[in-house]
């Protein structure tokens, strides 16, 4: 089931890039990011209330709060940089570099989360890296 959700995430991420590239034409990329963020905010809280999980807020521990806030800040920076890159660059080149985050995440998962380093993940990371550079050169 995780694969279906991941695939849907990829499809909507692709739509995000295309819609954003069209939408940011002629406006400041930071303003565009802020507009997008408000929409995401309403959608996310809407899902919380639709699923009735708002009563679980009190159960969130301090460590989770800290890391969720840090994650939100990282997302904010990522979106600001992404929209600026998308505004001034070609989507077909910006997106592969952005998706290079897969390789960066793998490396961080090995180092920070102590996930197992396997031949399969290393080869996958190498091929993604090669593919990224092929796409942008």
């Amino acid at each position: 089931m995780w694969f279906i959700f991941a695939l849907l995430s990829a499809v909507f991420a692709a739509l995000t890039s295309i819609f954003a590239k069209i939408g940011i034409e002629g406006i400041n990329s930071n303003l565009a990011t802020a507009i997008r963020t408000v929409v995401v905010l309403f959608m996310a809280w809407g899902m919380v209330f639709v699923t009735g999980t708002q009563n679980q807020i009190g159960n969130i521990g301090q460590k989770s709060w800290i890391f969720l806030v840090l994650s939100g800040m990282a997302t904010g920076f990522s979106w600001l940089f992404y929209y600026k890159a998308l505004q001034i660059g070609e989507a077909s080149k910006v997106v592969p570099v952005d998706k290079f985050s897969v390789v960066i995440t793998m490396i961080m998962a090995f180092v920070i989360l102590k996930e197992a380093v396997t031949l399969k993940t290393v080869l996958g990371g190498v091929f993604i890296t090669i593919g990224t550079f092929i796409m942008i050169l």
Side-chain angles (χ1 to χ4, degrees):
M1 191 64 164
W2 67 265
F3 182 77
I4 292 170
F5 286 120
L7 189 58
L8 287 170
S9 173
V11 168
F12 282 100
L15 287 172
T16 298
S17 301
I18 299 303
F19 293 160
K21 181 66 177 174
I22 296 167
I24 60 176
E25 188 175 323
I27 68 169
N28 179 277
S29 63
N30 295 328
L31 176 59
T33 303
I35 292 167
R36 174 191 182 199
T37 303
V38 169
V39 172
V40 171
L41 177 73
F42 280 109
M43 286 184 64
W45 278 106
M47 286 304 297
V48 166
F49 286 105
V50 165
T51 59
T53 54
Q54 67 274 9
N55 59 351
Q56 296 176 16
I57 292 174
N59 299 335
I60 300 172
Q62 183 179 3
K63 178 181 175 184
S64 291
W65 273 112
I66 290 169
F67 281 96
L68 289 172
V69 168
L70 289 172
S71 175
M73 292 172 64
T75 298
F77 282 118
S78 174
W79 288 359
L80 289 167
F81 292 131
Y82 179 74
Y83 264 56
K84 187 63 177 178
L86 199 56
Q87 185 173 50
I88 60 179
E90 297 176 35
S92 62
K93 292 187 176 169
V94 170
V95 174
V97 174
D98 176 65
K99 298 310 175 198
F100 187 67
S101 64
V102 171
V103 175
I104 297 168
T105 301
M106 288 168 50
I107 293 167
M108 288 182 172
F110 298 151
V111 174
I112 298 169
L113 302 177
K114 308 293 186 222
E115 291 186 3
V117 179
T118 66
L119 180 61
K120 181 173 69 170
T121 55
V122 170
L123 281 176
V126 167
F127 287 133
I128 292 170
T129 301
I130 293 168
T132 299
F133 284 101
I134 289 172
M135 296 284 295
I136 64 174
L137 296 177

